[in-house]
């Protein structure tokens, strides 16, 4: 089963989440400050990180930046932020530096468990995936490098673009609604509007060459390869 690291200086929260996650079969590692979390990430196989922002020594933002700057597979582990910082700007900053989800305190433990399960399902869903390579038509998505090759050129992707394009490439020709695209790329961020999603789709279109993400009026979008 998967290994989860919970990093929070509030030991009660770590114990609470551990109480709910371990019965689901997850192995839970504990850290009460950022530096301890960094050491565990360095030495253990961590498959998902739950991290608080306000921690002594090294804060959560610094831990996320450290993870995302790595050159190995650990840079791609899902990161869930749990924080008492509730401003929209705090959420946006966390997501921009590499978090995959943002949950504000106080929270419902079962919601955290559900989000953890969803992130692991997202990692394993869809074929064909070989060594984190997904192919659809002439498109080749490299999840490790966060790039897509359109048949002639390789383009860098943002993490949101990677998540959204992965969904389309795993099931080409399927129509995805705006809500489904939102849940794939911005899970937990309620402030994202339809225009932001359309801008992201526009950026993806610029990177996939002759392949098209087509708007199906009244239904959603699908990938044509």
């Amino acid at each position: 089963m998967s290994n989860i690291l919970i990093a929070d200086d509030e030991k009660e929260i770590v114990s609470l989440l551990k109480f709910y996650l371990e019965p689901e079969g997850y192995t839970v590692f504990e850290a009460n400050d950022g530096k301890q979390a960094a050491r565990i990430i360095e030495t253990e196989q961590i498959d998902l990180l739950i991290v608080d922002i306000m921690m002594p020594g090294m804060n959560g933002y610094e831990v996320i930046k450290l993870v995302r700057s790595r050159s190995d597979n650990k840079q791609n582990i899902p990161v869930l932020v749990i924080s008492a910082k509730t401003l929209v700007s705090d959420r946006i900053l966390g997501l921009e530096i590499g978090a995959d989800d943002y949950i504000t305190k106080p929270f419902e433990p079962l919601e955290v468990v559900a989000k953890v399960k969803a992130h692991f399902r997202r990692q394993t869903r869809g074929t064909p995936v070989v060594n984190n390579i997904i192919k659809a038509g002439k498109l080749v998505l490299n999840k490790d490098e966060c790039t897509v090759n359109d048949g002639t050129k390789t383009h860098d992707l943002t993490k949101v673009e990677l998540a959204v394009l992965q969904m389309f490439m795993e099931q080409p020709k399927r129509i995805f609604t705006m809500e489904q695209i939102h849940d794939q790329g911005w899970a937990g961020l309620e402030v994202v509007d339809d225009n932001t999603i359309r801008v992201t789709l526009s950026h993806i279109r610029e990177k996939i060459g002759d392949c098209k993400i087509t708007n199906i009026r009244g239904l959603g979008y699908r990938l044509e390869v």
Side-chain angles (χ1 to χ4, degrees):
M1 199 61 176
S2 301
N3 296 333
I4 298 174
L5 170 60
I6 304 173
D8 196 311
D9 61 336
E10 296 185 61
K11 295 182 179 180
E12 297 82 2
I13 288 181
V14 176
S15 297
L16 177 65
L17 290 175
K18 184 176 181 179
F19 176 82
Y20 278 88
L21 288 166
E22 285 190 333
E24 299 294 333
Y26 300 112
T27 299
V28 175
F29 292 82
E30 305 175 41
N32 296 127
D33 61 63
K35 291 184 178 180
Q36 185 182 9
R39 287 194 297 269
I40 294 173
I41 292 167
E42 180 70 31
T43 58
E44 303 291 344
Q45 176 58 50
I46 300 300
D47 303 302
L48 183 142
L49 170 64
I50 299 174
V51 61
D52 182 30
I53 293 301
M54 295 181 288
M55 294 188 295
M58 177 186 291
N59 65 37
Y61 292 138
E62 293 171 315
V63 174
I64 296 170
K65 289 179 181 178
L66 179 66
V67 170
R68 295 306 183 215
S69 66
R70 294 180 63 96
S71 59
D72 56 15
N73 288 334
K74 292 184 180 182
Q75 67 180 314
N76 294 317
I77 65 174
V79 176
L80 279 63
V81 169
I82 294 182
S83 177
K85 296 170 76 68
T86 59
L87 294 177
V88 171
S89 58
D90 295 321
R91 295 188 181 197
I92 292 174
L93 177 59
L95 294 164
E96 285 184 342
I97 65 175
D100 297 288
D101 213 336
Y102 195 107
I103 304 166
T104 57
K105 298 177 181 179
F107 57 85
E108 169 54 55
L110 290 177
E111 179 187 2
V112 178
V113 174
K115 286 180 176 290
V116 167
K117 290 180 177 179
H119 279 283
F120 282 125
R121 282 197 304 270
R122 190 174 299 164
Q123 284 185 314
T124 58
R125 185 183 64 226
T127 55
V129 181
V130 180
N131 295 328
N132 281 334
I133 300 296
I134 304 174
K135 298 181 180 180
K138 63 183 180 181
L139 295 178
V140 180
L141 185 71
N142 188 314
K143 294 172 61 179
D144 288 335
E145 298 179 359
C146 206
T147 61
V148 63
N149 187 289
D150 63 6
T152 59
K153 185 178 179 181
T154 298
H155 305 268
D156 292 328
L157 299 169
T158 67
K159 293 195 72 63
V160 169
E161 291 169 354
L162 174 67
V164 172
L165 183 55
Q166 176 182 341
M167 179 180 70
F168 279 111
M169 288 180 60
E170 287 176 344
Q171 299 183 71
K173 301 292 186 181
R174 173 179 169 178
I175 297 174
F176 292 98
T177 65
M178 292 290 276
E179 182 179 0
Q180 289 170 318
I181 298 170
H182 170 277
D183 290 345
Q184 179 73 10
W186 297 268
L189 184 60
E190 299 174 358
V191 298
V192 168
D193 57 19
D194 287 356
N195 186 58
T196 300
I197 296 175
R198 293 189 184 98
V199 170
T200 297
L201 292 175
S202 175
H203 291 165
I204 293 174
R205 288 188 180 104
E206 295 173 357
K207 300 176 181 181
I208 60 175
D210 295 336
C211 300
K212 294 179 174 61
I213 295 178
T214 304
N215 176 226
I216 309 302
R217 187 179 297 273
L219 295 175
Y221 295 83
R222 71 182 175 201
L223 176 65
E224 311 282 354
V225 294

